[in-house]
Amino acid sequence: EFDDGYISELDLGSGEWEYLVTYPYKFSAGAAVNLNLFKLAGSVDYRDWSQVRFDIPDGFALDEYYNDLLYENQNFPEQFKSVLSYSAGGEVRIPGSPLLLRGGYRFVPSPLRETNPDLDRSYYSAGLGYDIDGSTSLDVGMTWGKIKRQSVDSYTPGGTDESISTTRVLAGVTFRL
């Protein structure tokens, strides 16, 4: 029974299923330029999501449900595509100071073939670095982004539109020998 009063009459049963997901290879390349007070960096990632595959772990007998799962492997090339993600960022040292300012951007397109560009993901980041001495530094950064997602299933036959905001704070200490 759902909070809107809807009562599902579907009997989904119960059970435990184990399966493997094989992800396609990811090819990445990047470059960085160090211009004394400024550092710039960028990278690209290529992945062909149509190559995703389900598999059954060794020792599991094939049954109707596993056969249905394996049948889905035929649909991946029709539903998924290859994507090219990219990132760019920079760092500037405040002259005469041990303080570093950082910023960046990352774009990750949706791997779904027939999709709205709203499902692409973008992330922004900002951070600070502080050189304590020649071998130790403190770093703090923050990343935020928005993801839009749509889903339809037996529980939400009319569909669900989600807008998900993410915020992450990262901190670290670096020791150089």
Side-chain angles (χ1 to χ4, degrees):
E1 185 171 333
F2 293 87
D3 57 358
D4 65 356
Y6 174 74
I7 299 174
S8 174
E9 296 184 18
L10 288 174
D11 179 11
L12 299 177
S14 63
E16 185 174 308
W17 303 97
E18 286 191 40
Y19 58 92
L20 304 172
V21 179
T22 302
Y23 288 96
Y25 289 104
K26 178 168 66 170
F27 299 97
S28 301
V33 176
N34 187 349
L35 304 170
N36 292 329
L37 295 178
F38 298 99
K39 291 181 185 175
L40 300 173
S43 68
V44 293
D45 300 320
Y46 171 83
R47 185 175 274 181
D48 184 0
W49 286 100
S50 68
Q51 301 298 314
V52 170
R53 293 292 176 263
F54 289 127
D55 202 359
I56 309 304
D58 291 337
F60 282 77
L62 287 178
D63 64 16
E64 172 189 348
Y65 296 110
Y66 281 132
N67 284 331
D68 290 345
L69 180 71
L70 294 176
Y71 180 77
E72 287 298 316
N73 288 336
Q74 297 176 34
N75 296 322
F76 286 127
E78 295 170 11
Q79 296 173 349
F80 293 90
K81 64 183 178 183
S82 59
V83 296
L84 189 67
S85 304
Y86 58 87
S87 303
E91 173 184 272
V92 61
R93 178 177 292 281
I94 304 298
S97 166
L99 193 61
L100 300 158
L101 302 176
R102 299 179 179 127
Y105 175 75
R106 176 150 180 79
F107 176 73
V108 182
S110 171
L112 297 172
R113 276 199 188 276
E114 297 180 27
T115 187
N116 184 328
D118 285 343
L119 298 180
D120 296 341
R121 296 175 284 161
S122 292
Y123 300 95
Y124 300 90
S125 62
L128 295 172
Y130 184 81
D131 288 335
I132 297 172
D133 57 35
S135 62
T136 308
S137 61
L138 296 174
D139 298 293
V140 176
M142 185 170 158
T143 301
W144 60 94
K146 271 197 170 196
I147 302 167
K148 292 187 178 181
R149 188 167 59 188
Q150 300 167 335
S151 64
V152 175
D153 57 30
S154 61
Y155 296 114
T156 57
T160 301
D161 291 330
E162 298 175 297
S163 181
I164 302 167
S165 296
T166 62
T167 303
R168 293 192 174 133
V169 176
L170 306 166
V173 177
T174 303
F175 297 102
R176 294 183 241 8
L177 301 175

